[in-house]
Amino acid sequence: MENDDDTKEDTQSQVNNSVSMEKNCCNEDTFRLHMVTWNVATADPPDDVSSLLHLNSPKAPDLYVIGLQEVYAAPHRFIIDMAVEDSWSHLFMSSLAPRGYLKVSSIRMQGLLLLFFSKLAHVPFIRDIQDTYTRTGIFGYWGNKGGVSIRLSFYGHMLCFLNCHLAAHMQYASQRVDEFEYILDTQTFDPKKTPHILDHKLVFWFGDLNFRVQDHGMHFLRNCITSHKFNLLWSKDQLTMMKKKEAVLQEFDEGPLDFQPTYKFDRFSDRYDSSGKMRKPAWTDRILWRVKPKETPPEEEKDEDRDSGLDEKNTKQQQEEEEFPLKLKQDSYTSNMEYGVSDHKPVIGIFTLELRKMYETPLVRVCAEGEWSADFDAMVIYSPLQPFPSSAWDWIGLYKVGFRSVSDYITYTWVKDDEVSFNDELTQVYVSKDEIPVLGGECVLCYYCSTLQCIVGISSPFKVQESKVAIEEGLAPENINGLDKATAS
């Protein structure tokens, strides 16, 4: 029989190695962000989105943020999409999961859809995830227009992504600004940290914002586009014009519009609207951002007039800005002309996010103990590395390598069920052999914190062996090695 001390030492070694992925992959302070906005005009998705996501690029993004507008939302389809994932989400998840990206969060409001993907290595450092929506269509009661947002903490820095579809037509530029301000005012989050959108350190505002190019005639517009003299149209772009007089818009930055207007096209062509309406081309689809301005030092006040609580908060924010700076640089801002399923062309923004991490250690280390197969019960070991709000509702999921979302688990175990205290630092959790897939394959374990509603620890990949008993009894062919059939059944 093995010595208990040796067993403990081996187990501790496994736990120490379990987060090598995080240490090796997450030690850089520069991150690549790939953003897409696309009004898909109720169309079904194309067969392939490799070009849209730059999947063949040598520089793989750390994060993908995809905002769609006018996803088909007829009542019968919408009900089906709520029960099972919609076809657009399915396409993006299927395209990104094999490359090591996880859908961290998503939100849908009728035709508006927002998806946030991350490389698996960053997932334990994405916390404080919340989403919300605001309707602005038909007196604020209908969700065909409005905004959906996802906010989260990325290595301690609060980010917010707001996908909007604003009022249409040339004459409603002011209404579009009013709708944007209404969305900013009404969307609220956890009041302890960043209660409003503009409280976040970095905000992205994107979508079909519907601003048009006014005054110029169709002949001049098309000549400028054909000759690639886009700059001659910028001064009459409504968003550019509104920024000159609206203070809130002046806080947002945008790259130069050095690509042809993305609306309105005849479907499956590069030809602008040839219908009887002959709508003018416009940059309706945009990506803007705002880095929160630094807090200005308060003016000298008399001691009795100073709000000590507010003063202390401002001082703390200034110290955080100095100790943990955040910078954003746009590397590319363009449209993709090859997709024709919609009367809009998608817009892509690629950014470099530079920040100093507020933490580099996951909240929990988790690993598989010993050999795993469906022939015997297995053990999971986890170890909290920092204080966090754990509860009896926390669970550890077993996932196939390349899983698509947190709900993609093969099986899970509650951390308080069949728990055995191993020592002061480690906890063992039992997993029944009946829950382990017979066919085996490459897997990972993820610790999910119910209070924080996110994954706070991920193991290194490990091999689940095929069940020898099942093979001997003819329940599993010897030439199969994987989890596809197990997860499909």
Side-chain angles (χ1 to χ4, degrees):
M1 184 173 177
E2 285 189 6
N3 183 282
D4 287 347
D5 291 336
D6 291 340
T7 303
K8 290 180 180 180
E9 186 175 330
D10 291 343
T11 302
Q12 184 67 60
S13 176
Q14 288 184 47
V15 173
N16 289 340
N17 291 331
S18 69
V19 288
S20 61
M21 174 177 61
E22 286 89 344
K23 291 184 177 180
N24 292 336
C25 300
C26 299
N27 56 3
E28 295 296 327
D29 290 347
T30 300
F31 306 91
R32 192 170 176 84
L33 170 61
H34 186 111
M35 296 192 64
V36 174
T37 179
W38 192 5
N39 182 321
V40 298
T42 73
D44 288 329
D47 295 331
D48 185 82
V49 287
S50 297
S51 175
L52 184 67
L53 302 178
H54 294 187
L55 295 184
N56 298 319
S57 170
K59 296 181 179 180
D62 296 276
L63 307 172
Y64 278 97
V65 181
I66 301 165
L68 303 182
Q69 307 85 41
E70 290 194 29
V71 175
Y72 187 51
H76 69 283
R77 175 72 75 86
F78 190 70
I79 292 171
I80 293 172
D81 289 348
M82 292 297 101
V84 297
E85 67 197 20
D86 65 274
S87 57
W88 284 94
S89 295
H90 178 81
L91 174 62
F92 287 120
M93 293 166 70
S94 299
S95 301
L96 291 172
R99 297 172 181 267
Y101 294 93
L102 180 71
K103 189 193 79 173
V104 175
S105 185
S106 66
I107 179 172
R108 182 172 178 187
M109 180 185 73
Q110 287 180 225
L112 275 166
L113 175 64
L114 178 58
L115 303 163
F116 182 94
F117 293 87
S118 169
K119 279 186 175 177
L120 192 62
H122 303 310
V123 169
F125 306 97
I126 299 173
R127 305 169 190 169
D128 302 309
I129 304 166
Q130 288 183 272
D131 57 62
T132 189
Y133 62 88
T134 302
R135 301 183 182 98
T136 60
I138 309 181
F139 306 109
Y141 291 102
W142 195 243
N144 64 320
K145 295 290 193 296
V148 294
S149 60
I150 294 173
R151 82 80 175 268
L152 49 86
S153 165
F154 184 67
Y155 290 97
H157 297 263
M158 299 305 298
L159 316 181
C160 185
F161 302 88
L162 172 61
N163 172 26
C164 288
H165 191 188
L166 303 180
H169 304 304
M170 181 75 73
Q171 66 270 31
Y172 294 124
S174 295
Q175 181 177 330
R176 288 187 270 277
V177 177
D178 291 342
E179 289 179 352
F180 175 54
E181 292 180 337
Y182 175 73
I183 291 168
L184 293 180
D185 290 341
T186 56
Q187 292 199 359
T188 57
F189 304 97
D190 181 356
K192 295 179 182 178
K193 295 184 178 180
T194 49
H196 299 97
I197 290 175
L198 297 185
D199 294 326
H200 293 75
K201 188 173 283 189
L202 174 61
V203 177
F204 285 94
W205 173 38
F206 56 106
D208 181 359
L209 307 186
N210 252 323
F211 290 100
R212 310 303 171 101
V213 177
Q214 66 182 47
D215 295 339
H216 292 310
M218 182 68 79
H219 181 72
F220 181 77
L221 267 168
R222 296 205 171 188
N223 277 346
C224 290
I225 294 169
T226 302
S227 60
H228 285 211
K229 295 179 180 178
F230 306 126
N231 60 305
L232 298 181
L233 304 176
W234 292 348
S235 64
K236 295 300 182 179
D237 168 69
Q238 288 180 333
L239 180 53
T240 302
M241 297 171 71
M242 297 301 289
K243 284 186 74 171
K244 293 179 180 179
K245 57 183 181 180
E246 296 288 345
V248 67
L249 298 183
Q250 293 168 10
E251 298 180 15
F252 284 82
D253 294 310
E254 183 181 20
L257 298 169
D258 278 332
F259 52 91
Q260 67 186 82
T262 53
Y263 175 83
K264 173 182 174 126
F265 288 88
D266 293 340
R267 293 185 190 240
F268 300 103
S269 78
D270 293 340
R271 183 176 59 251
Y272 283 104
D273 186 16
S274 62
S275 71
K277 294 183 179 179
M278 291 285 288
R279 291 182 179 86
K280 287 184 180 180
W283 288 287
T284 56
D285 311 284
R286 313 286 277 267
I287 301 174
L288 295 89
W289 70 92
R290 174 189 183 267
V291 177
K292 187 178 180 182
K294 289 185 177 181
E295 295 286 341
T296 54
E299 296 180 3
E300 291 296 326
E301 300 174 4
K302 295 181 180 179
D303 290 341
E304 60 268 22
D305 293 335
R306 182 181 294 124
D307 186 330
S308 59
L310 183 61
D311 194 40
E312 182 179 345
K313 181 180 178 182
N314 289 339
T315 301
K316 186 177 179 181
Q317 288 178 346
Q318 291 171 29
Q319 291 173 345
E320 182 180 296
E321 289 169 359
E322 293 172 3
E323 187 175 357
F324 300 103
L326 178 148
K327 297 179 182 179
L328 187 76
K329 177 172 71 76
Q330 188 172 58
D331 302 314
S332 175
Y333 189 34
T334 187
S335 61
N336 189 313
M337 297 297 293
E338 72 180 73
Y339 292 98
V341 297
S342 169
D343 55 0
H344 291 249
K345 301 298 183 183
V347 170
I348 300 167
I350 297 176
F351 299 86
T352 297
L353 178 60
E354 297 180 19
L355 56 83
R356 186 171 299 158
K357 299 173 185 175
M358 294 188 186
Y359 40 74
E360 299 190 55
T361 305
L363 295 177
V364 175
R365 283 177 178 162
V366 58
C367 70
E369 182 182 15
E371 183 178 330
W372 277 50
S373 89
D375 294 335
F376 41 81
D377 297 333
M379 290 289 177
V380 177
I381 298 174
Y382 73 88
S383 174
L385 301 179
Q386 300 177 45
F388 74 99
S390 61
S391 76
W393 297 105
D394 291 0
W395 49 273
I396 297 172
L398 175 68
Y399 294 86
K400 176 184 177 181
V401 168
F403 69 105
R404 305 185 309 168
S405 71
V406 70
S407 60
D408 236 2
Y409 52 78
I410 301 164
T411 187
Y412 64 90
T413 182
W414 301 105
V415 297
K416 299 300 182 183
D417 287 357
D418 301 310
E419 178 185 294
V420 179
S421 292
F422 199 70
N423 59 34
D424 292 339
E425 298 178 352
L426 303 175
T427 301
Q428 241 179 356
V429 178
Y430 160 91
V431 180
S432 169
K433 63 182 180 181
D434 297 332
E435 302 295 328
I436 299 173
V438 169
L439 299 178
E442 289 291 318
C443 294
V444 294
L445 294 164
C446 297
Y447 186 111
Y448 185 86
C449 175
S450 294
T451 303
L452 297 178
Q453 295 190 321
C454 62
I455 292 171
V456 295
I458 302 177
S459 75
S460 296
F462 65 97
K463 180 69 175 288
V464 175
Q465 302 295 332
E466 289 179 1
S467 168
K468 295 178 181 178
V469 173
I471 293 172
E472 290 171 359
E473 295 180 358
L475 299 179
E478 292 183 17
N479 63 345
I480 293 179
N481 184 12
L483 295 170
D484 292 339
K485 287 192 176 181
T487 54
S489 58

